[in-house]
Amino acid sequence: VQLQASGGGLVQAGGSLRLSCAAPGYTDRGYSMAWFRRAPGKEREFVASQKWSGGYTRYSDSAKGRFTISRDIANNRVYLQMNSLKPEDTAVYYCAASSDPFFRTVRSWGQGTQVTVSS
């Protein structure tokens, strides 16, 4: 099942955005959801993840204290609230689903949503 990410856009430094990922078919409590990002010219990197059960919540060092991952089980959605955005957060953001809470393998990727932070 294809994941659908949305919510990206252009924002000034210091601003906020909330990304959303529709994840029908992956709300089984054995699955975890994550956000990754790929900045221009860089490798894709992990941002945050959480199990549908609410455990195993993890953040990258760059996301800690600024980003919050959450889920809405009733609506099959995962969110990434991003605050205090910096120009270096500019990237295409992808949601992903995995049965591995550490995302050593990924079951499905979303199509990506562009986030651009201007200075």
Side-chain angles (χ1 to χ4, degrees), residues 24-87:
Y26 292 104
T27 55
D28 182 278
R29 288 175 178 262
Y31 275 103
S32 295
M33 298 297 298
W35 290 94
F36 289 76
R37 68 186 184 187
R38 177 177 282 158
K42 295 189 177 181
E43 302 264 327
R44 183 158 50 194
E45 65 174 356
F46 169 81
V47 176
S49 66
Q50 188 175 68
K51 288 192 75 170
W52 279 107
S53 64
Y56 285 95
T57 301
R58 300 187 301 128
Y59 295 95
S60 66
D61 287 344
S62 62
K64 282 178 187 173
R66 298 188 300 127
F67 295 1
T68 302
I69 188 170
S70 63
R71 74 246 185 267
D72 180 345
I73 296 172
N75 291 300
N76 303 325
R77 288 191 170 270
V78 176
Y79 301 100
L80 185 69
Q81 177 67 44
M82 304 187 295
N83 299 326
S84 303
L85 283 162
K86 305 174 183 179

